[in-house]
C-alpha cells in the first residue's frame, strides 16, 4: 500500500466504476442545442485542436426504451468531457474533444463490440460513422460522420 509523505495527503484516483457514476445534471445535458453549442464553442476556443464526431445509427424499430438504454450505454463508455446527444430518433452523436482519427476509430470499434454484447432489445448492432478534424470544422464533421452519405470507396 502506498504511503503519503508526512506533509501531503495520499491522493485517491477513482477507477472506471466511479467514473461512470455522474451526477444527474451532467447526464441530462446533451440535447440538440447543447450539441451544436459545443461545436460552436470548440470552434472558438480550440480552432486548431483535434475533435472527432461519432454518429451512431440504431435499428429503426427498437423503440424509445431501447434507445434510452443505448444512449445510457454510450454515456457510460465515453469520457465525462465528451458530449452525447440524441439528434433524432435512432441517431446518437458523440463529440470527442481532443481526439484524433486513430483514437476515434478505436472508440468506434469498442462501442461496436459493446453494442454486440449489450442486452438491449432489438439492438444487436449499430452503424457507427466516424469523422475527425479540427475544432473550426466541427459542423462539417456531422455531415462527414453521417451514415446517410454514399460510400466513397
Amino acid at each position: 500500500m502506498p504511503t503519503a509523505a508526512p506533509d501531503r495527503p495520499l491522493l485517491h484516483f477513482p477507477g472506471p466504476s466511479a467514473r461512470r457514476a455522474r451526477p444527474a445534471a451532467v447526464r441530462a445535458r446533451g440535447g440538440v442545442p447543447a450539441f451544436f453549442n459545443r461545436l460552436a464553442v470548440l470552434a472558438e476556443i480550440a480552432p486548431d485542436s483535434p475533435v472527432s464526431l461519432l454518429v451512431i445509427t440504431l435499428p429503426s424499430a427498437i423503440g424509445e426504451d431501447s434507445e434510452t438504454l443505448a444512449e445510457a450505454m454510450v454515456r457510460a463508455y465515453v469520457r465525462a468531457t465528451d458530449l452525447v446527444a440524441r439528434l433524432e430518433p435512432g441517431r446518437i452523436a458523440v463529440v470527442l474533444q481532443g481526439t484524433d482519427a486513430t483514437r476515434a476509430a478505436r472508440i468506434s470499434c469498442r462501442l461496436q463490440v459493446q453494442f454486440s454484447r449489450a442486452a438491449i432489445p432489438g439492438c444487436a448492432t449499430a452503424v457507427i460513422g466516424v469523422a475527425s478534424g479540427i475544432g473550426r470544422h466541427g459542423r462539417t464533421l456531422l455531415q462527414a460522420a453521417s451514415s446517410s452519405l454514399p460510400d466513397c470507396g
Side-chain angles (χ1 to χ4, degrees):
M1 173 117 179
T3 59
D7 58 340
R8 284 194 214 163
L10 182 64
L11 298 176
H12 172 70
F13 295 100
S17 61
R19 192 180 80 188
R20 291 181 183 164
R22 297 184 209 154
V26 174
R27 284 194 315 265
R29 69 187 168 110
V32 176
F35 172 77
F36 286 109
N37 186 34
R38 173 69 64 94
L39 292 179
V41 167
L42 285 176
E44 286 182 31
I45 65 170
D48 297 321
S49 296
V51 63
S52 295
L53 183 71
L54 305 179
V55 176
I56 303 163
T57 305
L58 304 171
S60 60
I62 67 168
E64 180 69 25
D65 291 341
S66 294
E67 279 188 31
T68 303
L69 287 173
E71 185 179 2
M73 184 190 74
V74 172
R75 284 183 195 280
Y77 187 77
V78 298
R79 301 172 299 187
T81 56
D82 298 331
L83 178 72
V84 178
R86 193 181 311 186
L87 297 179
E88 59 188 22
R91 288 184 61 168
I92 300 169
V94 183
V95 178
L96 303 168
Q97 182 177 347
T99 303
D100 62 4
T102 304
R103 289 180 60 206
R106 283 189 207 140
I107 292 168
S108 172
C109 290
R110 290 178 183 153
L111 273 173
Q112 190 68 51
V113 169
Q114 293 295 323
F115 273 105
S116 67
R117 292 181 180 171
I120 300 174
C123 190
T125 61
V127 177
I128 303 176
V130 182
S132 296
I134 56 175
R136 77 181 77 201
H137 301 134
R139 287 190 176 261
T140 59
L141 292 177
L142 181 59
Q143 290 178 329
S146 176
S147 62
S148 63
L149 294 174
D151 188 9
C152 299

